[in-house]
Amino acid sequence: MALTRQPGGEQPHWPLGPFKLRLPFIHYRWEYPEMVQGLIMFVVGLAMIPLLQKYLGMPYEAALAFCVVAGVGYMLPALLGVPLVPGWITPAIPVVLLFLQGFEPGPEAIKAMFALQIEVTLIFLVLGITGLGNKLVTVIPNSLKSGIIIGAGIAAMMGELKAGGRIDNTPVSLIIGSVVCAYVLFSLSFKRILETNTLAKRISNFGMVPGMVLAMLVGWAVGEYALPEVQWGITKPDFALMWQYLVFSTGMPDASTFMLAIPTAIIAYVIAFGDIVVGFTLVKRVDHLRKDEQIDDSVTRVHLVTAIRNALHAFLAPWPGLAGPLWTAAHATVAERYALGRKAMDSIFSGGGTFWITGFIALFLLPLVSIFKPVLPIALSLTLVLTAYICIMVGMEELKNSTERGVAGIVAVTLAMPDPKSTVYAVVIGLVLYFLIERGHHIGKREQGDLSILADATADVQAGDAHGRSAAGAPAR
């Protein structure tokens, strides 16, 4: 029997320094709808295996062991007191892959991935402890932030649409799955149907699961994916083989690799901070409907837990998806059910906790893993396509005027270039254009030699920029 929460109070927990430890069946009840979702949606975590094989050069068995390490990380937020359903820094995946393309798959790529992930760890750790995260994101020009988000979306989409990409190999399943997922998650007409149709509302509670399952069934039906060979028993991740693909075996990266990873690490943090904002926004949207629970939305705790997860990956499972604070689709689904009341979901922690504990257990269920093994690429593709839509939509919404849109467009196109150094180029070009175009209009006044006009113009620019930064806040996704 779980400990009982007092009306209007926090969910029971054990204090653990800056964390709040919560265990299933002790501090919260088991949620069966989230258990069902976890038994299916865990396949998205397995979808990282093809990237591990391609970019880090490891065999399937070692990659599966990496997924087990990731599964431990997915459980940490609910365990330590973070009310967000975690995932990858998904929009950063195309940027990370561009970075990895500059290294030979194998030891060199593994060392590069370690360098990037340990830098992301340090950024989250330092900015979380000092509270400087908000300031860093607000200092970055709005056009550069939006350009990065839009560029990540374009890169994600182009990775699927390019010649030889998955759209060429599996067009039917990818198109049908993408359309169904987009309709269920984003369609205005579907939202109107939800108001009167009970079946539609039940479907919406499962987020992208219906579209993903349909895409898999279609892929099998039309022959785009091989039929699974169902096996029984328990999976056997090869942890001994995994050790050969860690920095303890490959050696540490050199200083140049760490330097090259810095722009990508900063971009990943900017995107991840936007995820934090979106995650807590989703919580606040339903929090007023649940007066029975007080939710502690500590941004510092999110930073610390995310830093722990990235450190875990850096040393034990370098991960191209990185460890992000939010899986938007899954968290939105949990928040939607949470809003239905305590009978539907005891606590926001019981929903997220049940989801990823089930997902971790599913990693060892060989029948499930063997069924989904042939269709792992479609799970990754659908995740990237939906991420592309969200990134482009949100990035465009953040832009305030035509000048910002122009600068952001150049940054986005540069970032999406198939060049390992495109992240460096995008940041440099974005900053140069910002100072030349968005803040450079006073240069012409200087040429006129009118010092008084120059002083007035400079004051106006500084005042306007300060106002814009305070109003813009952090990017949301």
Side-chain angles (χ1 to χ4, degrees):
M1 178 68 69
L3 297 175
T4 303
R5 179 179 72 244
Q6 297 300 318
E10 268 194 84
Q11 190 69 10
H13 62 272
W14 292 328
L16 185 66
F19 308 112
K20 296 181 177 181
L21 186 65
R22 292 184 175 92
L23 301 175
F25 305 109
I26 297 176
H27 298 107
Y28 58 80
R29 79 183 186 202
W30 193 254
E31 304 290 352
Y32 290 97
E34 277 63 43
M35 182 185 73
V36 173
Q37 289 189 63
L39 290 173
I40 299 173
M41 293 300 285
F42 87 102
V43 69
V44 176
L46 290 179
M48 189 56 60
I49 290 178
L51 298 185
L52 293 169
Q53 292 175 306
K54 179 178 180 180
Y55 290 94
L56 299 189
M58 63 176 54
Y60 174 85
E61 292 75 13
L64 182 60
F66 271 31
C67 290
V68 173
V69 175
V72 173
Y74 295 141
M75 294 187 291
L76 288 181
L79 177 69
L80 298 178
V82 174
L84 307 180
V85 180
W88 309 333
I89 308 180
T90 309
I93 291 177
V95 182
V96 173
L97 297 184
L98 287 173
F99 168 72
L100 290 177
Q101 285 176 13
F103 301 89
E104 186 71 21
E108 293 303 312
I110 290 168
K111 289 190 283 187
M113 193 63 240
F114 171 84
L116 172 60
Q117 197 131 36
I118 206 68
E119 287 176 359
V120 173
T121 299
L122 292 174
I123 291 174
F124 271 100
L125 185 63
V126 172
L127 297 184
I129 292 175
T130 61
L132 294 176
N134 285 310
K135 295 182 180 179
L136 174 64
V137 175
T138 53
V139 165
I140 298 174
N142 192 51
S143 55
L144 179 57
K145 287 186 293 187
S146 296
I148 288 172
I149 294 173
I150 295 170
I154 294 174
M157 200 68 185
M158 294 307 296
E160 301 303 311
L161 299 179
K162 68 181 180 181
R166 275 183 282 270
I167 192 65
D168 279 353
N169 301 322
T170 58
V172 178
S173 56
L174 180 54
I175 291 173
I176 291 177
S178 299
V179 169
V180 173
C181 284
Y183 182 74
V184 171
L185 292 173
F186 308 120
S187 172
L188 297 177
S189 62
F190 186 71
K191 290 181 180 178
R192 287 194 291 269
I193 295 174
L194 294 179
E195 298 174 0
T196 57
N197 191 301
T198 304
L199 177 61
K201 192 164 187 176
R202 289 179 179 175
I203 292 174
S204 70
N205 285 339
F206 291 96
M208 63 182 288
V209 169
M212 187 168 66
V213 171
L214 181 61
M216 292 174 179
L217 294 175
V218 170
W220 284 323
V222 302
E224 290 182 343
Y225 290 100
L227 292 174
E229 297 180 4
V230 181
Q231 299 173 293
W232 301 96
I234 299 175
T235 59
K236 298 178 180 179
D238 197 331
F239 293 100
L241 181 61
M242 178 188 82
W243 191 263
Q244 299 177 21
Y245 297 89
L246 303 178
V247 290
F248 306 109
S249 298
T250 64
M252 287 289 178
D254 56 25
S256 63
T257 304
F258 280 105
M259 292 297 294
L260 192 60
I262 290 175
T264 304
I266 294 174
I267 286 172
Y269 176 78
V270 171
I271 294 172
F273 191 89
D275 281 347
I276 295 174
V277 173
V278 170
F280 282 128
T281 299
L282 290 173
V283 170
K284 290 177 181 176
R285 284 175 59 185
V286 299
D287 190 37
H288 70 281
L289 301 174
R290 291 290 302 270
K291 302 298 184 182
D292 59 289
E293 180 176 11
Q294 178 186 346
I295 300 175
D296 181 2
D297 55 354
S298 170
V299 174
T300 296
R301 188 177 301 122
V302 177
H303 276 71
L304 294 177
V305 174
T306 307
I308 292 172
R309 291 176 58 217
N310 276 289
L312 183 71
H313 274 295
F315 289 102
L316 297 179
W319 196 252
L322 302 174
L326 183 75
W327 181 359
T328 307
H331 181 68
T333 303
V334 169
E336 185 71 20
R337 270 205 354 105
Y338 177 74
L340 298 178
R342 192 166 186 176
K343 288 185 178 179
M345 184 182 294
D346 177 35
S347 165
I348 194 74
F349 296 99
S350 63
T354 301
F355 180 88
W356 271 127
I357 291 174
T358 303
F360 180 75
I361 295 172
L363 291 172
F364 297 95
L365 302 179
L366 187 55
L368 283 178
V369 173
S370 61
I371 287 174
F372 289 125
K373 184 177 178 180
V375 291
L376 292 181
I378 195 65
L380 178 61
S381 290
L382 292 177
T383 300
L384 292 175
V385 168
L386 294 176
T387 296
Y389 177 88
I390 294 172
C391 286
I392 294 171
M393 174 185 68
V394 171
M396 294 294 289
E397 286 179 348
E398 290 294 313
L399 298 169
K400 305 298 188 296
N401 53 58
S402 59
T403 303
E404 286 190 352
R405 286 190 285 272
V407 174
I410 297 297
V411 171
V413 172
T414 305
L415 186 68
M417 289 171 53
D419 188 311
K421 296 183 180 179
S422 63
T423 54
V424 180
Y425 299 150
V427 172
V428 171
I429 290 173
L431 290 174
V432 169
L433 291 179
Y434 170 72
F435 285 105
L436 285 181
I437 297 177
E438 293 188 57
R439 296 192 61 179
H441 68 275
H442 65 277
I443 294 176
K445 297 183 180 297
R446 179 177 300 173
E447 293 176 350
Q448 298 172 8
D450 191 335
L451 297 180
S452 61
I453 295 177
L454 172 60
D456 292 339
T458 303
D460 290 343
V461 171
Q462 292 174 341
D465 185 58
H467 174 72
R469 285 198 302 267
S470 63
R477 199 171 57 78

